[in-house]
Amino acid sequence: MRAEAQQYIDRIDAALDLLRRFLDWDRALRRLDELNARVEDPTLWDNAKLAQEVMRERTRLDSAITATRSIESEKVDNAELIEMAEAEGDEDMVAEAIASLKALAERADEDKIKALLAGEADASDTYLEIHAGAGGTESQDWAEILSRMYRRWAERRGYKVELVDYQAGDQAGIKSATFLLKGENAYGYAKTESGVHRLVRISPYDSAARRHTSFSSVWVYPVIDDDIDIEVKESDLKIDTYRASGAGGQHVNTTDSAVRITHVPSGIIVASQNDRSQHKNRATAMNMLKARLYEAELRKREEAASGEYQAKTEIGWGHQIRSYVLQPYQLVKDLRTGVTSTAPDDVLDGALDPFMAAALSQKVTGEKVDVEDVD
């Protein structure tokens, strides 16, 4: 087998192995049989909500199993075609089969990620918060660079982006910002970005042109729908109103319409200033608070299932998930997965999918991926 073809076959096998491990293949096959039998039972539809849940699970499992079997079959067919074409000296057929394997490898990677996005809230829209760490203007500028990076990533995926809250920096950049990202699997992808992000560069704010290290944190939580009941006691809340500080001097700067809600038991703080109506901003902030509490519960379940616990920590040394080094060399490295890029400008322009895919995969394998450079 030619090296190029074998490379694609290995890539397909890795994706299929991850899919089977994620699905728990034998259990998935048994579960699909059970769901098919339930769908045939006419009494299932006596409970419409239960029936919809069963149909959703059946559709998801059937789709994942069918896709896995199809990729395996096409891989075998193309590998056999290459061997036959090589024996006959038919270079055109070899090239055609290798091209098919390449396309199949790309499809396998896409199906792998789709399967991994099967969490309870993965399909939801999402809030994404960015907070500057200690360090004044330098960290606040870094927070603004991150906000642009995520906006560009969202645009690449065709997501709609809404600014919910914004706190301008003292001299430049931002102290914090909250965005609402609307689109299919927005939370599923973006949830892997929660954590501390570290920047190393020659500071444009340092007249001596010294190298600086800055930190900002990212927090991601899903928008919840009306079917999810999150109880919040009024007695647990501290509610403040203030004059909004939107960029560019929008109308919201002229009234005390912004609302900040602190959930005292958990210490969670949310804020909204996107609307000129204080009432609407309060409703938005309450929805955000419920979403944060829901995300915290999802995280607890995931940590309990995996036997791990990682608490949210201070924004600084030793707690970062990814480093962006612009000097003395050009490198972005994810410290959880080992994925690196030597094109930080592309990453800061929104090329985040390889990092997200590796982080999703790691949740299944528990291992760092063997990737040196995503470019």
Side-chain angles (χ1 to χ4, degrees):
M1 187 69 64
R2 298 191 182 183
E4 185 180 7
Q6 189 61 54
Q7 177 185 354
Y8 294 133
I9 289 172
D10 291 344
R11 184 170 149 193
I12 292 166
D13 285 341
L16 291 175
D17 179 62
L18 188 74
L19 275 168
R20 291 191 180 98
R21 290 169 68 176
F22 174 75
L23 290 170
D24 191 353
W25 187 251
D26 292 337
R27 187 207 63 82
L29 294 176
R30 291 194 301 271
R31 179 59 177 164
L32 183 58
D33 287 340
E34 293 171 3
L35 293 170
N36 285 334
R38 292 189 71 183
V39 168
E40 296 297 322
D41 182 357
T43 63
L44 172 66
W45 298 96
D46 293 343
N47 184 330
K49 184 176 181 181
L50 175 62
Q52 290 172 358
E53 291 174 358
V54 168
M55 291 300 294
R56 277 197 297 268
E57 184 183 1
R58 176 182 176 272
T59 299
R60 181 184 66 81
L61 267 182
D62 184 59
S63 176
I65 289 170
T66 300
T68 302
R69 285 172 167 165
S70 174
I71 291 170
E72 177 67 37
S73 176
E74 290 182 46
K75 181 201 73 173
V76 172
D77 289 345
N78 279 289
E80 291 176 350
L81 184 60
I82 289 173
E83 290 181 356
M84 182 179 68
E86 286 179 332
E88 296 177 358
D90 189 337
E91 291 298 320
D92 289 341
M93 186 178 291
V94 170
E96 185 178 334
I98 288 176
S100 294
L101 279 175
K102 179 182 178 182
L104 190 61
E106 292 170 354
R107 195 175 103 205
D109 285 339
E110 290 173 3
D111 286 349
K112 173 187 72 176
I113 299 305
K114 286 179 182 177
L116 295 176
L117 294 173
E120 184 175 323
D122 284 352
S124 303
D125 298 335
T126 192
Y127 294 106
L128 188 148
E129 289 183 15
I130 300 169
H131 296 272
T137 301
E138 185 66 30
S139 290
Q140 290 166 15
D141 187 51
W142 172 224
E144 185 167 53
I145 292 171
L146 280 176
S147 73
R148 179 188 179 277
M149 179 181 78
Y150 288 114
R151 290 197 306 270
R152 292 288 296 117
W153 169 77
E155 290 165 3
R156 286 177 178 222
R157 299 204 66 86
Y159 294 161
K160 182 179 179 182
V161 181
E162 295 179 8
L163 180 64
V164 176
D165 188 57
Y166 177 96
Q167 299 295 322
D170 295 324
Q171 298 180 20
I174 60 173
K175 292 180 180 178
S176 67
T178 302
F179 298 95
L180 171 58
L181 309 183
K182 294 183 175 181
E184 184 179 4
N185 292 320
Y187 175 67
Y189 282 109
K191 69 181 181 182
T192 63
E193 294 298 293
S194 285
V196 177
H197 297 246
R198 169 179 174 254
L199 173 71
V200 180
R201 67 171 178 176
I202 301 297
S203 171
Y205 304 101
D206 187 336
S207 59
R210 289 171 293 192
R211 193 155 57 106
H212 284 243
T213 298
S214 306
F215 300 92
S216 288
S217 71
V218 175
W219 201 248
V220 181
Y221 47 101
V223 175
I224 60 175
D225 59 35
D226 295 336
D227 292 336
I228 299 174
D229 184 24
I230 304 294
E231 182 181 358
V232 179
K233 297 179 182 178
E234 283 288 331
S235 59
D236 289 339
L237 304 180
K238 179 177 181 291
I239 301 176
D240 301 302
T241 59
Y242 59 97
R243 185 156 297 182
S245 59
Q250 299 113 313
H251 63 269
V252 290
N253 290 331
T254 63
T255 62
D256 291 339
S257 60
V259 175
R260 180 186 298 111
I261 299 178
T262 302
H263 185 249
V264 177
S266 66
I268 292 174
I269 301 173
V270 294
S272 174
Q273 58 172 294
N274 194 40
D275 201 283
R276 66 173 70 212
S277 163
Q278 186 183 113
H279 176 74
K280 289 182 179 179
N281 280 329
R282 175 172 173 149
T284 298
M286 278 299 297
N287 287 336
M288 292 168 64
L289 174 60
K290 289 180 179 180
R292 280 287 300 271
L293 292 170
Y294 175 59
E295 186 271 345
E297 179 59 30
L298 288 179
R299 188 175 291 264
K300 284 181 184 177
R301 290 185 212 165
E302 184 175 298
E303 287 162 353
S306 63
E308 297 175 357
Y309 177 76
Q310 292 180 332
K312 188 179 180 184
T313 54
E314 62 182 290
I315 308 175
W317 283 104
H319 306 298
Q320 63 266 18
I321 64 168
R322 189 176 304 142
S323 289
Y324 306 72
V325 182
L326 306 186
Q327 272 94 16
Y329 45 84
Q330 300 273 302
L331 182 72
V332 178
K333 182 170 184 178
D334 194 289
L335 304 179
R336 303 162 299 174
T337 64
V339 171
T340 65
S341 169
T342 53
D345 288 345
D346 291 345
V347 175
L348 293 175
D349 199 39
L352 296 171
D353 282 355
F355 295 99
M356 294 177 176
L360 286 168
S361 298
Q362 190 184 54
K363 290 180 180 293
V364 178
T365 65
E367 303 168 353
K368 287 191 175 184
V369 296
D370 186 18
V371 176
E372 292 301 321
D373 198 321
V374 299
D375 307 305

